[in-house]
């Protein structure tokens, strides 16, 4: 009998601690390619170290979040970064669908990046000699 009471007490106390945490589940998709999933897209919560990566189907999961409002930051190489405001409640999971559009880069921007890279190469060669 004593063991049963201890087991029930432990079970109810652990359930009490677990109830205050929420989660965000979602999918990251390519806006221009008929909403195909973006594999290994980065999803994080702004201002924290909490982050996740989408899987092969574009799904991601952020767990153990306190109730409240968060800014979700989604990015993928070659795509525009998107920020979303989400509300997390421990009562039910927060579901999010994010469509990222490919970013564009002009030829002038590409040329300036190339010239900066050349300058850095010359600087590193001069330092090493």
């Amino acid at each position: 009998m004593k063991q049963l009471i201890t087991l029930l007490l432990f079970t109810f106390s652990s359930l009490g601690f677990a109830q205050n945490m929420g989660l965000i589940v979602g999918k990251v998709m390519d806006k221009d390619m008929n909403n195909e999933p973006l594999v290994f897209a980065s999803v994080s919560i702004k201002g924290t170290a909490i982050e996740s990566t989408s899987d092969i189907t574009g799904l991601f999961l952020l767990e153990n979040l306190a109730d409240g409002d968060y800014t979700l930051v989604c990015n993928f190489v070659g795509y525009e970064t998107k920020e979303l405001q989400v509300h997390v409640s421990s009562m039910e999971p927060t579901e999010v669908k994010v469509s990222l559009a490919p970013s564009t880069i002009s030829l002038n921007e590409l040329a300036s990046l190339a010239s900066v890279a050349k300058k850095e190469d010359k600087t590193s060669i001069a330092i090493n000699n």
Side-chain angles (χ1 to χ4, degrees):
M1 185 66 173
K2 189 176 190 181
Q3 293 172 344
L4 180 62
I5 293 172
T6 305
L7 179 64
L8 288 174
L9 181 63
F10 179 72
T11 303
F12 287 119
S13 64
S14 64
L15 288 175
F17 287 114
Q19 288 180 349
N20 295 331
M21 301 310 239
L23 60 93
I24 300 172
V25 62
K27 187 169 187 174
V28 183
M29 300 166 293
D30 186 335
K31 187 175 184 178
D32 286 353
M33 297 297 290
N34 296 326
N35 288 326
E36 289 292 320
L38 287 176
V39 181
F40 301 122
S42 174
V43 181
S44 61
I45 296 179
K46 190 173 189 176
T48 69
I50 300 170
E51 62 182 306
S52 180
T53 306
S54 63
D55 65 8
I56 196 165
T57 60
L59 294 174
F60 68 90
L61 176 67
L62 297 167
E63 298 179 288
N64 299 326
L65 302 171
D67 290 355
D69 295 320
Y70 295 95
T71 302
L72 200 64
V73 180
C74 304
N75 56 24
F76 188 73
V77 176
Y79 287 74
E80 296 177 350
T81 300
K82 194 170 200 179
E83 293 187 3
L84 300 168
Q85 297 294 323
V86 295
H87 178 75
V88 174
S89 172
S90 59
M91 300 305 256
E92 62 184 51
T94 302
E95 296 181 15
V96 178
K97 288 187 179 180
V98 183
S99 293
L100 299 180
S103 63
T104 57
I105 185 167
S106 69
L107 291 177
N108 290 336
E109 290 173 344
L110 186 59
S112 67
L113 287 174
S115 67
V116 168
K118 282 184 181 179
K119 287 179 185 176
E120 287 179 4
D121 285 344
K122 288 178 184 177
T123 305
S124 64
I125 290 170
I127 293 172
N128 290 333
N129 288 335

